[in-house]
Amino acid sequence: MSAIALKRVRKSFGDKTVLHGVDLEVREGEMVGLIGASGSGKSTLIRLICGLERMDRGTEGRIALFGRETQKDGRFCEHSEVLRRDVGVIFQQFNLINRLSLLTNVLAGRLGRIPRWRGTLGLFPQDDRVKALQALERVGLIAQAHQRASTLSGGQQQRGAIARVLTQQARLILADEPIASLDPASARLIMSTLREINRQDRTTVIVSLHQIDHAFEHCDRLIALKDGRVIHNGPTGAITPDDIADLYGVEAGSLDLVKAPSKIGPSRPPLGAYPGNGLDRQDGLAARLAVNA
Ligand SMILES: Nc1ncnc2c1ncn2[C@@H]1O[C@H](COP(=O)(O)OP(=O)(O)O)[C@@H](O)[C@H]1O
Ligand SMILES: [Mg+2]
């Protein structure tokens, strides 16, 4: 089944069109990297999918999640809010509420699923507390459950944000540059945690990344945006250094290319082992690309 389907989705701000009739489909259980230079439209695309933005009218554009439409020609569909409960969003800036405990932040993942009055009073059912604690355990933060969010490191806060979408029981995770503010070790941990959730729970993951080496390492497929258009959409192994150079407007020679090792694995997954990500089957791929821009 398709987790996400976009047809002819155009988005403008004032008279500036930032997405030009985008068509794309993501199947349930995929982990897709969304890459492209700053300003290419990655965040706008993610915001349209999760309902934070509305597409332009007049193109008969459509967005559907899990086979049901959320937006049609610039109008939200009746059940779009219900569908959005299944979508968990992770932002670059962690988005935890500083003065609240990590556990309370994680419990907020249940807000879309309990009566509003309960949420307002912080009266979460026992079951939800158990789910939240299990999620914290899964991301390795059980010991920090009662710490204020403001006292956690950036990497811990981002793992907290992942625990929140786990508690939400999201079927689709949209992560918008989730590692852009993190040190390399924390970034690897976040990416391998997302990959593991994708593998173990079959949660569909879309992750926008500026650091494309991480996209190569963890994603099944890459969608590349340039100036609001999809210019590459295919298996990770099919993108070439020339494609990357074109994407970032640089000379291929200025890319720092390293031949793919025979097998790439995340440093150490936080939670048990999982099967290889398939990259070992792609030979000769320049898997580590650092854009010198
Ligand atoms: N709310 C907004 N109002 C006006 N312009 C916007 C808004 N959001 C994004 N843009 C513009 O849309 C383009 C794409 O932005 P964005 O989706 O944030 O790209 P990316 O995430 O790839 O960096 C940029 O030119 C940006 O300035
Ligand atoms: Mg962005």
Side-chain angles (χ1 to χ4, degrees):
M1 197 218 278
S2 82
I4 306 174
L6 272 75
K7 287 210 171 71
R8 296 180 300 274
V9 172
R10 189 183 67 199
K11 177 68 189 172
S12 309
F13 292 104
D15 54 11
K16 186 179 175 199
T17 300
V18 301
L19 289 175
H20 302 262
V22 169
D23 289 303
L24 60 89
E25 192 174 339
V26 174
R27 289 179 302 281
E28 215 171 348
E30 272 192 291
M31 177 143 167
V32 174
L34 186 58
I35 60 174
S38 177
S40 57
K42 303 180 296 296
S43 296
T44 304
L45 188 63
I46 284 176
R47 292 169 62 81
L48 280 158
I49 296 168
C50 67
L52 289 170
E53 296 283 0
R54 213 158 39 169
M55 69 178 86
D56 294 356
R57 292 195 179 164
T59 62
E60 297 284 311
R62 285 154 192 261
I63 300 176
L65 300 180
F66 303 105
R68 297 181 71 197
E69 275 178 349
T70 56
Q71 288 192 43
K72 197 170 166 182
D73 202 33
R75 290 188 174 83
F76 287 119
C77 302
E78 217 177 295
H79 49 261
S80 64
E81 209 161 315
V82 176
L83 292 174
R84 288 205 296 267
R85 272 191 214 160
D86 290 329
V87 182
V89 192
I90 294 170
F91 297 99
Q92 179 180 342
Q93 288 309 333
F94 324 134
N95 287 62
L96 299 186
I97 299 170
N98 275 331
R99 66 188 164 77
L100 297 180
S101 72
L102 177 61
L103 179 61
T104 307
N105 270 286
V106 170
L107 274 166
R110 301 303 296 171
L111 285 176
R113 300 183 192 265
I114 61 172
R116 189 169 299 206
W117 67 268
R118 271 187 165 270
T120 310
L121 296 174
L123 295 174
F124 291 94
Q126 195 56 27
D127 258 12
D128 289 359
R129 290 182 182 276
V130 171
K131 281 192 183 76
L133 289 167
Q134 282 169 339
L136 281 172
E137 175 139 52
R138 211 171 155 190
V139 300
L141 287 179
I142 196 74
Q144 286 78 13
H146 297 289
Q147 243 172 270
R148 277 162 76 110
S150 58
T151 65
L152 301 170
S153 72
Q156 288 174 327
Q157 292 196 37
Q158 199 61 304
R159 280 190 278 149
I162 294 177
R164 187 173 54 196
V165 302
L166 284 172
T167 305
Q168 182 189 343
Q169 294 183 303
R171 290 170 79 187
L172 168 64
I173 295 176
L174 303 173
D176 192 3
E177 306 252 11
I179 58 173
S181 310
L182 300 179
D183 61 87
S186 304
R188 282 177 78 79
L189 188 53
I190 292 298
M191 287 304 295
S192 52
T193 303
L194 287 172
R195 182 50 152 173
E196 188 170 85
I197 292 164
N198 161 256
R199 290 267 182 206
Q200 290 186 342
D201 305 4
R202 276 189 51 78
T203 307
T204 310
V205 176
I206 310 283
V207 54
S208 80
L209 290 164
H210 201 78
Q211 301 95 318
I212 51 180
D213 51 338
H214 288 280
F216 273 87
E217 193 167 334
H218 295 282
C219 299
D220 304 310
R221 182 151 70 100
L222 298 181
I223 294 174
L225 279 178
K226 186 178 183 183
D227 301 329
R229 291 189 165 84
V230 175
I231 62 160
H232 172 90
N233 178 2
T236 301
I239 196 162
T240 66
D242 282 340
D243 293 332
I244 298 289
D246 177 38
L247 196 57
Y248 292 92
V250 295
E251 296 288 312
S254 72
L255 292 169
D256 176 16
L257 304 182
V258 180
K259 204 169 184 304
S262 60
K263 189 175 174 79
I264 301 171
S267 48
R268 228 191 121 70
L271 334 148
Y274 56 83
N277 58 15
L279 281 169
D280 43 339
R281 290 191 298 276
Q282 297 158 8
D283 50 280
L285 169 73
R288 282 171 195 281
L289 301 165
V291 179
N292 302 322

